[in-house]
Amino acid sequence: MKVIAINGSPRKKWNTAQLLQQALKGAESVGAETEFINLYDLKYRGCISCFGCKRKDAVPCKCYIKDDLTSVLEKVHNAEALLLGSPIYFGDVTGQMRCFLERLSFPAMTYDDYGKQLYSGQINVAFFFTMNVDDEYAGMYKPVFENNTNLLKKFGGMTEYYLATDTLQFDDYSKFQTGQFDENAKRQRHEEQFPKDLQNAFEIGKRIAGK
Ligand SMILES: Cc1cc2nc3c(=O)[nH]c(=O)nc-3n(C[C@H](O)[C@H](O)[C@H](O)COP(=O)(O)O)c2cc1C
């Protein structure tokens, strides 16, 4: 069982990355072989509408752009489970995550038949979203969570998403313009809730790799 985690945050040690790392630990606890990929280390673009993937002789699911994402997409195609993570930026996933999703998802659909599944295997997916807003406000992003997660249904496996809300954004709030935030409340939330989020991520990784 191969499980790949894709970090769509530019920060390699913060909320999103930590959740993904815990999820990978969960997957490893049931024997999965794992890999962690930081999208912000790679040079690539989103879909450029070349339509290489829509040619009549196209290899199913293959993206014909050649850049740093080429080998990552191949690895994803050969994995049994995919753990995706993105902070919410201006109400959606980060730009790098969006570009990645375009490159992964567009080749996996055909204009001959939208309902057809081109990918012959099955990849289970868990998508972790982290954000500043609290649980109540996160409700307004529900279509965003669902739309991004549903893109991965083309890969035939189970899909689910997990929310880490009201996250800690800075080590030291006093150094930044953070008048909108109550540092003590943020820190207290981080100490009480984030360990639970990490534990939940571990369980998700374990479950998804155990399927
Ligand atoms: C450019 C930018 C835009 C953001 N936009 C939102 C937003 O629209 N809604 C929200 O709840 N949080 C927003 N945030 C906060 C991040 O989603 C949140 O801090 C997240 O947990 C960061 O993930 P990380 O710690 O893994 O980098 C934004 C942060 C940045 C840097």
Side-chain angles (χ1 to χ4, degrees):
M1 160 72 72
K2 267 199 186 146
V3 182
I4 297 186
I6 307 269
N7 180 23
S9 169
R11 305 200 291 180
K12 293 181 184 175
K13 295 190 174 162
W14 276 78
N15 299 282
T16 315
Q18 285 182 45
L19 289 170
L20 290 171
Q21 252 138 13
Q22 280 305 309
L24 281 191
K25 280 190 185 156
E28 285 162 11
S29 76
V30 290
E33 188 188 320
T34 64
E35 183 169 352
F36 190 94
I37 294 169
N38 282 304
L39 288 181
Y40 280 79
D41 280 346
L42 309 175
K43 288 205 167 27
Y44 64 94
R45 295 179 287 177
C47 176
I48 56 167
S49 230
C50 70
F51 296 117
C53 65
K54 299 290 171 277
R55 293 180 68 91
K56 291 197 184 288
D57 59 352
V59 173
C61 301
K62 182 179 162 78
C63 172
Y64 282 80
I65 304 176
K66 286 196 171 53
D67 60 16
D68 287 0
L69 217 50
T70 307
S71 63
V72 174
L73 296 174
E74 264 171 38
K75 284 177 187 177
V76 169
H77 290 154
N78 291 320
E80 280 81 33
L82 183 60
L83 303 166
L84 298 174
S86 180
I88 293 298
Y89 279 7
F90 299 108
D92 212 318
V93 293
T94 59
Q96 295 297 100
M97 176 54 79
R98 189 68 197 171
C99 288
F100 166 79
L101 290 173
E102 286 175 5
R103 296 277 301 280
L104 179 65
S105 301
F106 194 54
M109 61 153 275
T110 167
Y111 286 138
D112 280 344
D113 175 0
Y114 286 126
K116 187 174 175 185
Q117 195 191 312
L118 290 183
Y119 183 71
S120 55
Q122 192 176 312
I123 306 175
N124 293 318
V125 178
F127 211 139
F128 295 86
F129 299 98
T130 75
M131 66 214 79
N132 242 331
V133 295
D134 62 16
D135 285 334
E136 194 186 334
Y137 277 92
M140 71 183 169
Y141 297 142
K142 196 169 178 222
V144 170
F145 308 140
E146 290 184 346
N147 290 344
N148 282 291
T149 307
N150 287 345
L151 285 175
L152 286 314
K153 286 196 187 299
K154 294 186 179 72
F155 293 91
M158 307 289 289
T159 59
E160 62 184 291
Y161 64 84
Y162 184 85
L163 308 183
T165 58
D166 202 359
T167 53
L168 192 73
Q169 202 170 4
F170 307 100
D171 270 334
D172 182 352
Y173 276 67
S174 70
K175 290 184 181 158
F176 301 94
Q177 301 156 8
T178 57
Q180 293 281 329
F181 302 118
D182 174 344
E183 172 166 8
N184 290 333
K186 276 286 196 190
R187 202 160 292 285
Q188 191 181 346
R189 162 84 179 174
H190 181 71
E191 282 162 14
E192 285 172 12
Q193 181 57 37
F194 201 59
K196 293 180 195 161
D197 290 329
L198 292 174
Q199 184 58 36
N200 290 337
F202 183 94
E203 296 302 332
I204 289 170
K206 189 173 162 184
R207 181 158 40 77
I208 215 165
K211 276 177 181 158

